[in-house]
Structures are given as C-alpha cells and as structure tokens.
Amino acid sequence: MHINKIEHIGIAVKSIEEALKYYEGVLGLECYAVEEVKEQKVKTAFLKIGETKIELLEATNDDSPIAKFIEKRGEGVQHIAFAVNGIENVLAEVKEKGIRLIDEKPRKGAEGLDIAFLHPKSTGGVLTEFCEKNN
Amino acid sequence: MHINKIEHIGIAVKSIEEALKYYEGVLGLECYAVEEVKEQKVKTAFLKIGETKIELLEATNDDSPIAKFIEKRGEGVQHIAFAVNGIENVLAEVKEKGIRLIDEKPRKGAEGLDIAFLHPKSTGGVLTEFCEKNN
C-alpha cells in the first residue's frame, strides 16, 4: 500500500465557533467549509494548511462519538486521516496484516470522500482513517 | 502570521521498535532517521508522508514528558508542529493575542530545527509547536 499524504487531522472541539477564534484569529488559517455529517452526529469545519487540512469536529448530540471523546479525554486531536488509492484493497491488505477495522467497507464521510476507520487498539492509540476521493 | 505547512505530527509511543512494525510494516512508510533529543529525554524516529512527517517519540527516562503523557493518556498523538518563518516574531504575535507560551524563545529541537511550544490550555487541548529551519 501507499499513503499519498495526510488528508487531514481531526480535532475534537466543544464549539467550532470558539475554536475558530484560535485557528482563524490567532493562526491566520481560513475556514473554507462547514458541513454536518448527520450519520456521525457531528458538525465539521475545514481549514487548509499546505497539502493537508485541519478538520474541527463538534458534536451535534450528546451520544455523538465526539461528545464521548471529549467527555473522556477533553478537547484535542481525535484522528489522523491518510489519503490512499484503492481504499477497498488497502482495507483488505491491512486486515490481512492483523489490523482491526472499525469499518469493514468504506462509507461516505465529509467532503464526499470514501472513508474507513482503523481501530486505535491496532494502531498504537491513534484513531486512523483512510480516505479516497471517489469518482 | 502565516503557517507554511504541517511540519510533523508527534506521536507518543512506548517503543519505537514496536511502533515501526505498524508504520513501516503495515502502512508502508519508511523511517529515515532516528535521533535522541537528550534535553527532552526522548528518542525520535521520523517517517515522511508527502510534505509532512510523523515523529514517533519514545521516552528515554521515566521523568520524560513523553513518559508522563503515556502514563496519563496512553499512546497517541502528542503534538502538532507547524512550519513558520520568523519564529520569534510569530511567538511575539501569538503571545500578544493571549496565547500562553511554553517556550518564550525558540530552542533547538530534533533535526536541528528552531522550535517552541504553545500551551494546550490556550489552543483547545492541542499541544502545538512552531518550527523553523534555521540558517
């Protein structure tokens, strides 16, 4: 398998509005999109940095994975996403190598990407996402 | 201020040797350098992904910041580093905007970079590093 780049870093925040005061107001980045992913009960905001992005994640419901993450660990980096080609083959390859998959098959994520998560218990504590721009 | 790119993502691991079984053996990345930063009591390993890097961090002593991080939160993403120009001016600018600095002045980090950390209490829980290639 080959990782093309880090597609984004997902950061759990209590409030996107508050977080943007830091990311835009202090760091000078620009939020170019805000999108709700209903299935995951999150609102996302994207900021571009070079070839990669920061994805701010705010829970839209108390039982959202992001709400649970913040309750347990506080705000902070929640996942890293790698851009790959042929995501289904990549998932099969890492599973073959003993990695535990959260998503056996890709599903739709923010920005229309095909995405799938690996379990952090297999990846040294880092919740890891593969994503691919679909055609 | 302007952030050029994400310079690296710092990941705390119990053992670089074990972590490389995943990063090299599963993800197909290549570790191109291992370096000890004595002042920080860490051993670091770097893997390139596109324009950015993953920096694996292993404590060389029980009182290393990395040992404390793992004791408290387990293995996982420990910090994000942004490449900037004019790091001293950037530090002055973010301090002026109310950000709490861990390093008031840049110091030497891995790979010979000038580095300085911002306190995660001012940055939404993300330990944040600025770095600049010095001349």
Side-chain angles (χ1 to χ4, degrees), chain B residues 114-135:
Chain B
D114 292 328
I115 67 164
F117 281 92
L118 313 185
H119 199 287
K121 282 219 195 294
S122 314
T123 61
V126 179
L127 177 59
T128 300
E129 177 183 348
F130 290 136
C131 31
E132 183 173 32
K133 204 175 261 186
N134 59 324
N135 302 316

Side-chain angles (χ1 to χ4, degrees), chain B residues 1-127:
Chain B
M1 68 169 294
H2 177 70
I3 294 174
N4 302 324
K5 63 174 184 175
I6 294 177
E7 216 282 330
H8 63 266
I9 301 173
I11 298 175
V13 300
K14 288 179 188 164
S15 154
I16 284 175
E17 193 186 337
E18 278 301 310
L20 287 179
K21 290 179 189 168
Y22 168 64
Y23 286 99
E24 293 196 312
V26 177
L27 296 186
L29 301 172
E30 192 198 342
C31 173
Y32 67 88
V34 174
E35 183 184 345
E36 192 172 336
V37 183
K38 289 205 173 157
E39 192 202 323
Q40 291 293 301
K41 297 169 188 165
V42 292
K43 192 167 82 169
T44 65
F46 285 94
L47 305 103
K48 195 119 187 72
I49 306 184
E51 70 182 12
T52 185
K53 300 163 196 162
I54 284 178
E55 178 187 31
L56 302 176
L57 298 149
E58 176 190 319
T60 55
N61 193 297
D62 287 349
D63 65 349
S64 158
I66 295 302
K68 288 176 197 162
F69 177 90
I70 290 177
E71 197 184 313
K72 201 170 157 190
R73 313 196 45 152
E75 294 182 301
V77 175
Q78 195 247 358
H79 70 271
I80 299 180
F82 297 121
V84 297
N85 298 120
I87 187 167
E88 300 217 19
N89 291 340
V90 167
L91 287 173
E93 186 184 330
V94 302
K95 187 178 179 182
E96 172 74 30
K97 288 184 174 169
I99 299 298
R100 187 171 145 196
L101 307 181
I102 293 177
D103 300 298
E104 293 280 334
K105 289 194 174 258
R107 55 185 172 80
K108 282 283 167 251
E111 302 201 301
L113 298 178
D114 292 328
I115 67 164
F117 281 92
L118 313 185
H119 199 287
K121 282 219 195 294
S122 314
T123 61
V126 179
L127 177 59

